Amino acid sequence: MRNERAAGDSRHARTGKDGAFYNKDGVMLATVEQFSSNVNFSNAKYNTLGDAQEHETANTFSVSLTMSQIVIEDDAFIEELMKALETQVMPVWDFQGSLLGRNGSEERVIYRDCIPSGQVDIQNVSVGDVIKRNWNFFVNRAPKLQTLLSIDRQ
């Protein structure tokens, strides 16, 4: 075999049970079923005289964060959102995403100045399904990588 590290070390593969989502105070948001963060790059295109190829240069990026929350009881998030709808002063939240490695290492990313963006579920009810509330956020500060996952090489 030429590439002995092609598959990595599958013993260290992680699943959702190894992830967690926290508020800014480090309190786990235990009813969050899933979360994801994404970065979207918008580059500026240009071409120069004498060159038929189009080029791009880095321009802007945006970060979004989504989570699906299982509705067990009303909580601070929905209370703050409903108050914001009444007062028209939107809430701003900070979050922490975490993934625990098999060897105790952790990948932790901090998301600051998150505001509701796009569609947010107030109530989302259907027969025969667990009731969930989907949240979409725009992250107004660049995510901060606190720690990285690692594996022990033998």
Side-chain angles (χ1 to χ4, degrees):
M1 173 186 262
R2 291 184 92 174
N3 186 352
E4 296 176 6
R5 293 180 57 182
D9 188 341
S10 61
R11 295 174 298 163
H12 292 275
R14 305 291 69 201
T15 64
K17 69 177 174 40
D18 302 304
F21 196 59
Y22 300 88
N23 69 11
K24 69 178 177 183
D25 299 321
V27 176
M28 184 188 293
L29 303 175
T31 60
V32 172
E33 181 184 45
Q34 64 84 21
F35 75 93
S36 66
S37 61
N38 299 284
V39 62
N40 183 35
F41 294 94
S42 296
N43 295 334
K45 293 185 181 214
Y46 69 95
N47 61 325
T48 59
L49 293 174
D51 187 350
Q53 182 177 353
E54 187 173 63
H55 303 276
E56 287 188 358
T57 188
N59 191 19
T60 63
F61 70 91
S62 63
V63 177
S64 61
L65 181 64
T66 61
M67 74 172 178
S68 173
Q69 180 184 29
I70 299 170
V71 177
I72 295 174
E73 60 185 351
D74 285 340
D75 63 1
F77 285 123
I78 194 65
E79 291 174 22
E80 289 178 37
L81 180 68
M82 297 306 284
K83 182 179 177 183
L85 295 176
E86 289 180 30
T87 64
Q88 297 185 11
V89 177
M90 291 303 121
V92 178
W93 292 295
D94 294 342
F95 299 109
Q96 303 175 43
S98 171
L99 181 59
L100 186 62
R102 183 175 178 191
N103 61 357
S105 66
E106 178 188 42
E107 178 184 273
R108 185 174 290 262
V109 178
I110 308 297
Y111 305 94
R112 291 190 175 96
D113 297 345
C114 302
I115 61 171
S117 179
Q119 182 172 311
V120 173
D121 290 343
I122 293 174
Q123 292 184 314
N124 184 355
V125 180
S126 62
V127 174
D129 197 5
V130 173
I131 298 173
K132 299 174 189 170
R133 184 173 288 129
N134 296 303
W135 294 83
N136 294 293
F137 303 98
F138 189 88
V139 181
N140 278 301
R141 295 192 37 206
K144 174 88 173 152
L145 180 62
Q146 293 290 103
T147 55
L148 285 171
L149 284 177
S150 64
I151 61 173
D152 302 320
R153 299 276 179 201
Q154 297 177 12

